[in-house]
Amino acid sequence: MDETKDLHQGMLWAVHEGAFLFELPGGARDYTRDGIVQHGPWPPEDCARCLLTWFDHGWIEVYVLSEHLNRWAAEEADLIGESSDENARTVERRRARAIFMAPSTWKNDRPEGLVCLAPTDQAPPLDFRQVWLDAVAAAE
C-alpha cells in the first residue's frame, strides 16, 4: 500500500475510533497473526489536509471529553457547544476548523490535541470507505 493511501485509511479509522488529534501523527499499529504492521508516522500537515477535506464535506466533527473541559480557557468556553451528553461536548465549527488548520497544536499537553474525532450524521457509513478515500483523492 502506498504511503498516501495508508495515511488516508489511517485517518478514516481514527475518525471512526474517536481518536485524539495528538495521536494521529504517530501512526497506528495493526497486530496480526504474522506480527505487527506499522502505519505511519505521518506528517501532521498531511493528517490535517485529509481531515479538513472530510470536515468541509460535513462528514466529521470534533468533541471534547468532559474530563478535558477544564483545559479550555474561559474565553474559549463559548466555542464548545452545549450538549445533552454529559460525557462530551462538540466543538463549534469555526473553532474546529481553526484546530484542523493548526496541526502544530495537536499535542497531548494542549487542549487542541485532546479533542476527539467523530463522524457526523451526514457522513457516509464506514461500509462506503471508498467514498471517503475518493473525496480526499479528488481534493489533492
Side-chain angles (χ1 to χ4, degrees):
M1 176 180 309
D2 73 38
E3 288 182 33
T4 301
K5 188 171 183 179
D6 189 49
L7 164 76
H8 296 165
Q9 294 228 20
M11 294 303 101
L12 181 58
W13 285 113
V15 167
H16 287 276
E17 291 174 352
F20 289 106
L21 285 182
F22 81 85
E23 298 175 305
L24 304 184
R29 288 188 177 148
D30 288 332
Y31 297 90
T32 69
R33 181 177 317 154
D34 299 324
I36 299 171
V37 177
Q38 177 68 41
H39 303 278
W42 302 297
E45 298 77 18
D46 292 350
C47 299
R49 200 169 15 264
C50 178
L51 295 172
L52 266 169
T53 298
W54 296 334
F55 181 78
D56 289 343
H57 276 73
W59 296 350
I60 65 171
E61 62 188 3
V62 291
Y63 63 92
V64 180
L65 295 173
S66 60
E67 61 262 29
H68 297 297
L69 287 173
N70 64 342
R71 294 177 180 252
W72 291 83
E75 64 271 9
E76 293 187 300
D78 63 325
L79 299 174
I80 301 172
E82 293 300 318
S83 174
S84 59
D85 184 349
E86 64 186 41
N87 297 312
R89 290 202 185 154
T90 302
V91 177
E92 188 270 335
R93 283 194 62 81
R94 181 174 44 95
R95 181 65 174 120
R97 180 166 240 298
I99 291 170
F100 285 130
M101 295 290 293
S104 64
T105 65
W106 300 358
K107 310 286 184 210
N108 66 355
D109 61 348
R110 296 197 46 147
E112 296 89 344
L114 292 167
V115 297
C116 299
L117 296 164
T120 65
D121 292 339
Q122 293 78 36
L126 184 57
D127 294 350
F128 293 95
R129 80 172 144 252
Q130 194 60 47
V131 173
W132 292 79
L133 301 176
D134 289 347
V136 174
E140 293 185 339

